[in-house]
Amino acid sequence: MEEKSVRKRREDDQSIQSKEAKTTNLQKEVGLISGICIIIGTIIGSGIFISPKSVLSNVNAVGPCLIIWSTCGIIATLGALCFAELGTMITKSGGEYPYLMEAFGPIPAYLFSWTSLIVIKPSSFAIICLTFAEYVSVPFYGNCKPPELVVKCLAAAAILVITTVNSLSVKLGSYVQNFFTAAKLVIVTIIIISGIVLLAQGKTKNFENSFEDSSVSVGAMSLAFYNGLWAYDGWNQLNYITEELKNPYRNLPLAIVIGIPLVTVCYILINISYFTVMTSTELLQSQAVAVTFGDRVLHPASWIVPLFVAFSTIGAANGTCFTAGRLVYVAGREGHMLKMLSYISVKRLTPAPAIIFYGIITILYIIPGDINTLINYFSFAAWFFYGLTIVGLIVMRFTKKDHKRPIKVPVFIPILMTFISIYLVLAPIITKPELPYLYCVLFILSGLLFYLLFVHNKFSCVQRISKPITMHLQMLLEVVPPEEDLN
């Protein structure tokens, strides 16, 4: 009897230990459908409702405009396929960060996390939330521009809600993403079907002589690609949460192959729909292309457009927060950011400190409001690291030949993507050199100073200050360090 009691106690202890192990690691709770929704939901944000004007302004004709949108989709797909190989070879969350770490070591990986966490990710998140705030507030002010304070407060509120949702639950964040993805697909479907109906009625006049007066210079094309690829940005977002994907070897590439081509088809059809009701001149004069389309086609139901564009932007913001929080988490786990940022919520199994940190940085970007300059050079910094990561893929083909590769793309794809990245980084500088590009490079390199001071040397005074802060935040947020993977 006593032996049975001892055995039962041991079983209970093992059960408790297994439950504790589960509470201190990120869980695989993102399936194929959620993965596709994250890709679609993150890519389709405010871009397709605003960027057509910017793309058209650089090529000046319908034909080249549609070609640019198609080519951007192909570039995004090829880039995502390269990342699929990396994601299934190195199954760690954090996007480019672990790939650069494996290929080139800690310094390039740190510079990526430094640039992404301080500039690229928060500025992108802030712009999306500001766009959401503007679309939500416009109907209440008629033809007047909404007060800047109202827009900023709404944007800050959106950031707080999104960070709270993603800090509370991975499943809740996924459900919110799925809902807003479904909502944005509604408006995308409305625009596409309306365009098809109009084409069937013979509204094809704006497609006649579609290459007339086009501008195809190297500089104009590069700027058009910048604006188009901004609308496609997010094609690599699933790589930020690889550790939380169910069966990543299958679901990561499958979500990419389904999600990005679907977005590309939607983008092309939406642009065709725009041109069925607007000439090139009218489209360029429009303040918000989708709203103009709604006013002309949907008439009394035109209010649907700003509502669903708001849904679209908030969905993109949620997807950005969901994935970027994992980059902060991984950088903290590797010792490249405050160790506290790698901790996991005991109750909710989310990287809550990382997400909260990301939300705070984003709100700081909203306070001054003047982040347009940073956004203009977002693509410059982003494509520099996209290109460097893809070069890392080529390098690891030689340095890590024996590494398991469930997916192996033909070598010409990463080589082609490397040349495309070089073109996208250098073309704007050569075409229109400006000092802010130099500032961007200097900011990236300034990360070396922080790396030497806080990561490489690890001064004792920093450790003495951070330890009590970490202890108190642990108790406040109920978070613990993630347990080592025993497998």
Side-chain angles (χ1 to χ4, degrees), residues 42-112:
T42 307
I43 293 178
I44 302 178
S46 59
I48 189 56
F49 305 112
I50 298 169
S51 289
K53 179 179 174 180
S54 302
V55 174
L56 182 62
S57 66
N58 285 293
V59 294
N60 297 322
V62 175
C65 181
L66 295 176
I67 290 172
I68 291 288
W69 282 103
S70 305
T71 308
C72 287
I74 294 169
I75 291 171
T77 304
L78 293 177
L81 288 174
C82 293
F83 273 61
E85 176 176 332
L86 288 165
T88 52
M89 180 175 70
I90 304 166
T91 54
K92 292 181 180 179
S93 295
E96 293 91 325
Y97 181 87
Y99 314 146
L100 290 170
M101 178 74 82
E102 290 283 339
F104 303 114
I107 293 178
Y110 178 83
L111 290 179
F112 166 74

Side-chain angles (χ1 to χ4, degrees), residues 222-237:
S222 65
L223 292 173
F225 274 117
Y226 257 30
N227 286 286
L229 288 167
W230 162 255
Y232 278 97
D233 193 68
W235 50 264
N236 64 328
Q237 293 298 293

Side-chain angles (χ1 to χ4, degrees), residues 273-390:
S273 298
Y274 289 156
F275 286 118
T276 58
V277 297
M278 285 178 276
T279 64
S280 297
T281 304
E282 289 171 336
L283 193 144
L284 290 172
Q285 291 173 347
S286 171
Q287 294 300 315
V289 180
V291 174
T292 303
F293 179 88
D295 290 339
R296 296 191 179 187
V297 176
L298 301 178
H299 303 302
S302 59
W303 58 269
I304 289 175
V305 175
L307 175 65
F308 278 88
V309 169
F311 284 160
S312 178
T313 52
I314 204 71
N318 182 74
T320 301
C321 179
F322 188 84
T323 55
R326 273 61 182 174
L327 172 58
V328 185
Y329 160 77
V330 174
R333 187 175 63 185
E334 296 294 335
H336 284 182
M337 289 287 158
L338 292 172
K339 200 70 179 174
M340 174 70 188
L341 298 178
S342 69
Y343 289 6
I344 301 292
S345 171
V346 175
K347 292 181 179 179
R348 299 182 173 88
L349 310 179
T350 61
I355 293 171
I356 292 168
F357 172 82
Y358 178 56
I360 291 169
I361 295 292
T362 305
I363 288 175
L364 291 177
Y365 271 87
I366 280 179
I367 292 170
D370 185 22
I371 58 175
N372 288 329
T373 303
L374 283 172
I375 291 302
N376 289 338
Y377 305 103
F378 164 88
S379 295
F380 172 79
W383 277 96
F384 173 79
F385 284 107
Y386 289 157
L388 189 61
T389 304
I390 292 168

Side-chain angles (χ1 to χ4, degrees), residues 110-143:
Y110 178 83
L111 290 179
F112 166 74
S113 64
W114 162 257
T115 308
S116 292
L117 298 179
I118 307 299
V119 177
I120 296 175
K121 295 294 181 184
S123 62
S124 175
F125 190 18
I127 276 293
I128 293 170
C129 288
L130 285 168
T131 305
F132 160 78
E134 287 180 1
Y135 268 94
V136 168
S137 56
V138 161
F140 297 97
Y141 291 91
N143 296 325

